[in-house]
Amino acid sequence: MNLPSIRLYNTFTRRKEELRPLDDGVVRIYSCGPTVYRYVHIGNLRTFMLPDLLRRSLEYLGYKTEQVMNITDVGHLTDDTFDRGEDKMLVSARLENKSPEQIAAYYTAAFKDDVRKLGIRPADTYPHATDHIPQMIGLIEKLLEKGHAYEVEGTVYYDIASFPAYGRLSRNSTEKLIAGSRGEPDPRKRHPGDFTLWKAAGEHRLQVWPSPWGPGYPGWHIECSAMSMLLLGERFDIHTGGADNVFPHHEAEIAQSEAATGHRVVGTWLHGGLLMLSGARMAKSAGNFLRVTEIEEQGLDPLAFRYLALQAKYRAPLNFSVEGLEGADRALRHLRERVAEWSQNEGAEGLPVRTEWDMRFRDAIAEDLDFPRVMALVAELARSTVAPWTKAALLRDWDRVLGLDLGRTDFNQALPAGAEELIAEREKARAAKDFARSDRLREELKALGVSVVDRSIEK
Ligand code: AMP
Ligand code: ZN
């Protein structure tokens, strides 16, 4: 298939590389998802927006995509950098006096609502870690067989010394890893940097499964190796996550998956920059975070956050401020109003102008998802002498990638009772080319005080 080439920055090689999907025209993506012990914040959402922008861009360019995003509902410890602490799910269960299953169900649903508010399309599959324990056990057995893991008193550790490439993704040397391990190292580990694949559990633990090493639960890293390879195969195109996932999570994932299969599994490692608040990383655990619902409560459009995020390079850290968000909200509303205005009268501009602008858009998204360049292009188009109708048509096309709801015409005000039904009726009439009926409905809407702006039927 002759699809346009797209270049992406691969954390593994520290270079921009041309994407070459393993399967012609289909790009398979695994994205690290939320740990469902609390609400997600807009920092997490920035990371989840990355694969959404990636998929929308790829699809705009003619590719098909398949995305798997895991739901972590076991094994993510409070101190994941140093592989210790308590399971976050159990801490929340205790605090909220609920079962871990109730906590997971509640926060998974909240996550899906929040994601929708930001125009992030759902993944094709959301595997839950607790539904894949046998696959994780199978993978751990394989690692033990191949000499990459060892068991001590029912706990299985990954032996990082057995995998020479350990540290390559994050550019961490083994020495640095030792120097970096704080406090008392776990005396059962051969190397302080070894990480847990399976953890023996005490009797009192709520989430516990039988295993060849006794009752216990899986580590956080093994779930992503097991579920990605189960659902996407032992080789797939792109793996996404936040910059804070590079070490230890993705370093460990590479060590596990590659040691088990004997080959490279992920083609491109794509990492999103962190969202910062007052100079520190926005974090659930630190409590310095903002939810998308809080944006709404302030009377701002959640998509203003999307607009804000699009102004920054996806890989760069982004400093969040309420003023910045308010500015984005104003700019977004203004842009929608202009699109509605430009849509009003059909122009007679030739196709070449439209194609020329669209090529520039395609070039920008294909160059490592250069959305700051896209947003500058949007501004340039708005200021240009291009016919208004062409501007509107281009922006509505581009919005398939931007996801900013630029075709919205209802703006701020709520619609009067009955108007929605009339609008829906009118859409149907227009689709059926029953223009007499659609004109009558327009009059009825006018009587309700609603004026409708027609766009010409696209393509
Ligand atoms: P968690 O629910 O803690 O497992 O995090 C879910 C995702 O959000 C992970 O992929 C993290 O990399 C990402 N993440 C966490 N904090 C931030 C932040 N401040 N900015 C951007 N992404 C973040
Ligand atoms: Zn993961």
Side-chain angles (χ1 to χ4, degrees):
M1 229 188 285
N2 219 354
L3 290 167
S5 84
I6 174 158
R7 276 155 45 87
L8 293 173
Y9 183 85
N10 186 352
T11 310
F12 194 76
T13 56
R14 299 285 195 279
R15 275 202 316 260
K16 279 191 208 167
E17 294 167 350
E18 191 180 328
L19 176 70
R20 292 210 174 77
L22 293 162
D23 207 352
D24 207 13
V26 186
V27 182
R28 299 216 159 76
I29 305 161
Y30 184 89
S31 304
C32 282
T35 306
V36 284
Y37 73 112
R38 279 186 203 170
Y39 292 114
V40 294
H41 55 67
I42 55 175
N44 304 128
L45 289 166
R46 182 182 186 210
T47 289
F48 303 144
M49 205 185 295
L50 171 59
D52 176 60
L53 292 170
L54 171 69
R55 293 179 75 192
R56 287 169 176 263
S57 299
L58 288 166
E59 288 171 19
Y60 194 86
L61 297 173
Y63 293 84
K64 288 196 171 64
T65 66
E66 183 185 343
Q67 186 197 12
V68 173
M69 181 181 274
N70 65 300
I71 302 286
T72 299
D73 54 1
V74 65
H76 195 165
L77 302 185
T78 44
D79 186 354
D80 58 43
T81 310
F82 297 103
D83 191 34
R84 61 190 164 207
E86 276 189 275
D87 190 316
K88 294 183 180 190
M89 293 301 297
L90 297 190
V91 174
S92 284
R94 194 172 63 228
L95 287 174
E96 297 192 27
N97 203 16
K98 289 185 184 146
S99 69
E101 293 75 23
Q102 285 171 321
I103 294 287
Y106 179 81
Y107 289 111
T108 303
F111 152 75
K112 289 184 180 168
D113 283 346
D114 289 351
V115 152
R116 193 175 332 112
K117 288 188 173 143
L118 281 193
I120 297 172
R121 293 188 329 191
D124 296 297
T125 325
Y126 287 109
H128 291 236
T130 50
D131 290 334
H132 294 85
I133 306 293
Q135 285 83 1
M136 297 179 209
I137 291 178
L139 193 55
I140 298 169
E141 283 182 311
K142 207 168 194 179
L143 291 169
L144 279 163
E145 264 164 42
K146 292 192 159 194
H148 291 287
Y150 55 94
E151 187 225 323
V152 187
E153 294 160 24
T155 290
V156 185
Y157 298 102
Y158 189 95
D159 181 358
I160 60 168
S162 75
F163 188 76
Y166 191 76
R168 168 138 184 226
L169 177 77
S170 57
R171 305 289 194 269
N172 269 325
S173 65
T174 316
E175 292 70 43
K176 268 206 264 170
L177 293 175
I178 302 177
S181 39
R182 286 184 306 206
E184 274 297 291
D186 179 345
R188 293 175 303 183
K189 288 183 181 177
R190 290 184 193 162
H191 184 291
D194 290 352
F195 55 89
T196 308
L197 296 168
W198 184 265
K199 205 162 170 63
E203 304 257 305
H204 58 278
R205 190 181 151 102
L206 284 172
Q207 287 177 303
V208 53
W209 289 266
S211 82
W213 320 286
Y217 62 98
W220 173 39
H221 315 313
I222 198 73
E223 72 169 78
C224 284
S225 282
M227 297 194 289
S228 64
M229 292 197 286
L230 174 76
L231 296 164
L232 294 172
E234 289 191 353
R235 295 176 201 265
F236 58 92
D237 302 302
I238 302 177
H239 196 310
T240 74
D244 59 327
N245 286 150
V246 173
F247 185 85
H249 189 49
H250 292 161
E251 193 73 78
E253 191 178 326
I254 291 175
Q256 296 163 159
S257 302
E258 296 195 3
T261 60
H263 59 70
R264 193 142 156 211
V265 174
V266 174
T268 306
W269 285 91
L270 208 62
H271 289 102
L274 295 180
L275 189 70
M276 313 293 287
L277 186 65
S278 325
R281 183 190 131 189
M282 191 176 280
K284 284 187 228 186
S285 47
N288 66 329
F289 66 83
L290 200 68
R291 284 193 60 201
V292 68
T293 45
E294 291 171 279
I295 292 181
E296 285 179 306
E297 282 156 17
Q298 291 180 25
L300 301 173
D301 186 332
L303 291 179
F305 179 68
R306 196 170 165 108
Y307 187 98
L308 185 78
L310 285 167
Q311 308 272 359
K313 183 72 193 163
Y314 77 84
R315 286 194 272 127
L318 172 61
N319 286 313
F320 177 83
S321 73
V322 174
E323 298 72 47
L325 186 66
E326 285 169 346
D329 186 77
R330 280 193 300 274
L332 176 58
R333 285 173 203 267
H334 181 64
L335 185 59
R336 283 182 190 141
E337 282 163 13
R338 306 216 54 199
V339 172
E341 198 182 295
W342 291 330
S343 303
Q344 280 184 358
N345 33 46
E346 192 145 339
E349 191 133 57
L351 195 59
V353 175
R354 189 164 160 176
T355 309
E356 190 188 304
W357 283 86
D358 194 46
M359 284 313 292
R360 291 177 65 192
F361 175 80
R362 285 166 184 266
D363 286 349
I365 56 176
E367 183 55 33
D368 195 28
L369 312 174
D370 195 347
F371 283 99
R373 197 162 113 199
V374 167
M375 296 311 272
L377 189 67
V378 168
E380 189 187 327
L381 176 69
R383 284 193 310 267
S384 74
T385 55
V386 168
W389 187 80
T390 308
K391 286 183 183 176
L394 277 165
L395 287 169
R396 281 199 309 267
D397 263 357
W398 296 352
D399 200 42
R400 300 207 313 261
V401 180
L402 301 176
L404 293 170
D405 204 5
L406 294 181
R408 188 188 289 184
T409 47
D410 58 346
F411 303 118
N412 294 328
Q413 66 280 48
L415 288 173
E420 279 209 48
E421 287 78 352
L422 289 175
I423 291 172
E425 277 303 306
R426 197 167 168 276
E427 292 282 356
K428 268 195 231 153
R430 267 167 60 75
K433 299 209 172 2
D434 184 351
F435 295 114
R437 179 167 164 74
S438 98
D439 284 345
R440 269 201 312 280
L441 288 161
R442 180 204 285 273
E443 288 310 310
E444 282 188 54
L445 279 159
K446 209 170 179 180
L448 288 176
V450 178
S451 58
V452 279
V453 179
D454 277 335
R455 336 165 168 157
S456 89
I457 296 167
E458 285 165 71
K459 287 197 219 148

